[in-house]
Amino acid sequence: MARILALLSEQAVAAGAPPPLIALAAPTGKAAARLQEAVHEEAARLPVAAAIRDQLLALHAVTVHRLLGWRFDSEIRFRHDRGNRVAYEVVVVDETSMVSLSLMARLAEAVRRDARLVLLGDPGQLTSVEAGAVLGDVVGPAADTLRMGEGTRVRLSGVVGHEVVADDPPTGVVLGDGIVVLDRVRRYGGGIAAVAEAIRHGDADATIAALEADAVDVRWIAEDVAAPRDPAALDCVREAAVQTGRAVYDAARAGDPRAALEAQRAFRMLCAHRRGDHGVALWNSRVESWLAATVEGFDATTRWHVGRPVLVTANDHELRLYNGDAGVAVAEGERLRVAFERRGAVLEVSPTRLEAVETLYAMTIHKAQGSQVGTAAVLLPPPSPES
């Protein structure tokens, strides 16, 4: 994205025009913060003119709601609309898969007619919690075949499509050349890629086969975690949770926030539900009891204790903390500070300023989007009766 924005600015300067006004946005505060960090990180090393680099480094990402402008008298209308459009000439939206249909409609009508709207995201990710799957609907079958302009079809291969086939007369819907699909996975491979591909295609049999393939990076435990037939089969989950919790506690007690945050990313439980036998609340409590029984000095009887991992559940723009951010309570002499990572640096906050947080040993799969951990244990509920 940083390279696209740099190119647009260079083109404007070459044409004798000022660089375009750019807006960076995302559906959540966490995603907006990550977009801003990624653009700044890449901009710092781009071989571009100093003025263009400074422009990119000055960009500040916001939520789509803040971009459109909240109205206190309405939950579905915003200050910017078709009668009062946003001033930006380039509007970038990241994590578009999470944008609801109604919010995308409000955004589209508020963007200037001569502006560029750039939508980024993965149509295979979880969709918005509200109605609509906008990105999936826009991309549609483009992951396999995309029509580009009148009478031309491009079959995508690798990162950029190359094979161009004339189609005369034109058939199907012409989408134009505004969609680029990146299908070379750079985050993972092996067994995880096989499982992900099977899930993306909705192939249940292939998913189970990929899970049972004994890959080095995937382990399938065919047990109901709420009532396992063989409780010993879940020992590896308990051991990983305790090992990670102990490392976080030791670093937090030693007053080393960076080490505590790094240790926290080693392992995490992901749940489909918040409540019940397979829910976040139960498993957070269960891990705390495991740590209390095995880690000397660990005490979770008070809300704020050394080594408590926390998840922010509401945006706090003053503190620059956003829904989904993870932190750790760390000892600082006789006091406690809660450490978060921000652009490679540690941000420390007094726990008295944090109200919208919850303990983080387990989190919902939906909330986990954008997180990065070494090992994730996904606790799946049993099939529903109708399944």
Side-chain angles (χ1 to χ4, degrees):
M1 193 65 249
R3 291 168 181 265
I4 292 174
L5 297 177
L7 179 60
L8 292 176
S9 294
E10 287 183 335
Q11 289 176 337
V13 172
L21 294 174
I22 300 170
L24 300 181
T28 68
K30 178 182 178 182
R34 298 298 177 267
L35 172 62
Q36 178 177 316
E37 291 172 3
V39 169
H40 287 183
E41 180 179 343
E42 182 65 20
R45 55 176 180 252
L46 283 179
V48 295
I52 292 177
R53 180 182 297 106
D54 291 343
Q55 179 198 15
L56 297 181
L57 292 175
L59 291 176
H60 176 67
V62 298
T63 63
V64 177
H65 290 82
R66 284 174 69 88
L67 174 67
L68 295 176
W70 277 106
R71 279 176 47 174
F72 295 104
D73 60 337
S74 176
E75 294 184 358
I76 60 174
R77 291 290 174 180
F78 298 89
R79 184 163 51 86
H80 292 291
D81 53 26
R82 67 184 62 188
N84 179 31
R85 301 179 190 270
V86 295
Y88 299 100
E89 297 159 290
V90 178
V91 177
V92 177
V93 181
D94 195 13
E95 297 287 3
T96 309
S97 64
M98 294 192 289
V99 179
S100 68
L101 181 60
S102 60
L103 183 59
M104 182 59 73
R106 300 290 81 78
L107 174 65
E109 69 180 13
V111 173
R112 289 170 41 177
R113 291 186 179 275
D114 60 345
R116 297 173 184 263
L117 177 60
V118 183
L119 305 179
L120 306 173
D122 180 356
Q125 282 187 331
L126 292 171
T127 58
S128 167
V129 295
E130 300 177 38
V134 178
L135 186 62
D137 291 341
V138 170
V139 174
D144 300 316
T145 301
L146 171 64
R147 293 180 51 77
M148 308 263 298
E150 281 294 332
T152 303
R153 181 175 70 247
V154 171
R155 202 173 302 278
L156 296 172
S157 173
V159 175
V160 181
H162 294 294
E163 181 190 345
V164 181
V165 182
D167 193 3
D168 186 22
T171 59
V173 178
V174 177
L175 300 177
D177 59 357
I179 300 176
V180 176
V181 178
L182 309 180
D183 60 8
R184 181 178 301 168
V185 179
R186 301 179 184 275
R187 289 186 175 179
Y188 55 82
I192 294 177
V195 173
E197 187 69 7
I199 293 173
R200 191 174 72 85
H201 286 96
D203 191 332
D205 292 338
T207 300
I208 297 299
L211 289 169
E212 294 178 338
D214 198 27
V216 295
D217 53 352
V218 174
R219 180 174 181 181
W220 171 241
I221 303 175
E223 295 283 350
D224 181 354
V225 295
R229 295 163 298 179
D230 178 15
L234 302 179
D235 285 350
C236 60
V237 176
R238 174 171 177 162
E239 290 169 3
V242 170
Q243 181 178 356
T244 298
R246 177 183 287 110
V248 171
Y249 174 73
D250 288 344
R253 185 176 58 176
D256 190 339
R258 191 175 295 278
L261 290 169
E262 183 175 347
Q264 184 189 44
R265 291 191 290 269
F267 175 82
R268 190 163 300 159
M269 293 182 177
L270 306 183
C271 303
H273 304 307
R274 292 191 56 81
R275 307 293 176 190
D277 292 340
H278 305 84
V280 170
L282 174 68
W283 286 91
N284 272 330
S285 177
R286 185 163 295 177
V287 174
E288 282 188 341
S289 66
W290 291 344
L291 293 173
T294 58
V295 178
E296 183 179 355
F298 181 86
D299 182 5
T301 57
T302 59
R303 179 170 187 255
W304 286 110
H305 54 271
V306 174
R308 181 194 180 193
V310 295
L311 179 71
V312 176
T313 58
N315 294 340
D316 189 324
H317 297 284
E318 182 180 352
L319 294 177
R320 293 184 296 125
L321 294 176
Y322 304 101
N323 189 356
D325 281 343
V328 179
V330 179
E332 188 179 84
E334 298 298 320
R335 302 184 304 166
L336 276 181
R337 304 287 287 178
V338 185
F340 299 87
E341 186 175 358
R342 270 290 172 270
R343 299 184 64 182
V346 174
L347 171 67
E348 296 188 10
V349 179
S350 169
T352 60
R353 301 190 65 183
L354 297 173
E355 292 297 330
V357 295
E358 59 187 34
T359 299
L360 175 62
Y361 293 108
M363 65 193 305
T364 62
I365 295 171
H366 201 282
K367 187 81 79 172
Q369 282 196 137
S371 301
Q372 297 186 44
V373 295
T375 300
V378 184
L379 310 182
L380 296 176
S384 58
E386 58 270 22
S387 299

